């Protein structure tokens, strides 16, 4: 009798736990993203973003490290469009405003992508980043 009760409990609990494990992934933008943008003249510039959902907003950092900059992030979940803005520094250490608009892709995958247009100061190009 006790054995049957254990089996009944396990056949209920195990599926519930597996559903919960898949549900823990969190906000679609949370995580570390890396990629590059195409600067004028065909040069590629590296991008790293650390994004996190704080239960009200997506907060983040552009290029974490010595030249990091806080990111303002807006997500339109209806169209999966993302807008980023940051006041960063260029390679020479001069202030530069960064604006990027992109579309979230591969939403069902852990390694989602965002592709779109990147503007850094007066330079504009395409970008693609992938979540690690």
């Amino acid at each position: 009798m006790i054995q049957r009760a254990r089996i009944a409990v396990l056949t209920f609990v195990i599926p519930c736990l597996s559903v919960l494990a898949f549900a823990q992934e969190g906000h679609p933008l949370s995580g570390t993203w890396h990629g590059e943008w195409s600067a004028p003249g065909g040069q590629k510039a590296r991008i790293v973003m650390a994004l996190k959902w704080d239960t009200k907003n997506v907060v983040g950092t552009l290029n974490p490290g010595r030249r990091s900059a806080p990111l303002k992030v807006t997500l339109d979940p209806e169209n999966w469009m993302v807008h980023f803005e940051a006041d960063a520094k260029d390679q020479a250490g001069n202030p530069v405003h960064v604006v990027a608009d992109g579309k979230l892709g591969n939403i069902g995958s852990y390694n989602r992508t965002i592709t779109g247009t990147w503007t850094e100061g007066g330079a504009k190009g395409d970008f693609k980043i992938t979540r690690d």
Side-chain angles (χ1 to χ4, degrees):
M1 180 76 161
I2 294 174
Q3 186 66 13
R4 281 190 205 174
R6 284 184 186 162
I7 291 172
V9 168
L10 289 176
T11 56
F12 175 76
V13 171
I14 291 174
C16 289
L17 290 176
S18 64
V19 168
L20 288 174
F22 285 111
Q24 296 301 314
E25 188 174 323
H27 194 276
L29 294 180
S30 287
T32 302
W33 297 74
H34 73 282
E36 60 187 21
W37 74 282
S38 300
Q43 294 182 0
K44 304 281 185 183
R46 185 171 171 247
I47 303 169
V48 177
M49 291 184 191
L51 304 177
K52 183 175 102 176
W53 173 249
D54 72 0
T55 71
K56 294 181 185 174
N57 301 300
V58 177
V59 294
T61 304
L62 175 63
N63 296 326
R66 226 180 54 228
R67 293 184 310 129
S68 68
L71 274 168
K72 295 176 189 168
V73 184
T74 308
L75 171 65
D76 171 9
E78 198 168 302
N79 300 306
W80 296 112
M81 297 299 293
V82 187
H83 177 80
F84 301 103
E85 283 195 49
D87 289 315
K89 296 192 180 205
D90 64 12
Q91 295 287 18
N94 300 315
V96 62
H97 190 68
V98 176
V99 177
D101 290 295
K103 181 157 180 76
L104 192 59
N106 295 334
I107 296 167
S109 169
Y110 182 82
N111 299 109
R112 298 176 177 108
T113 59
I114 301 174
T115 55
T117 305
W118 185 275
T119 305
E120 192 168 309
K124 190 173 186 175
D126 295 329
F127 82 96
K128 180 177 180 179
I129 56 177
T130 304
R131 185 172 76 169
D132 292 336

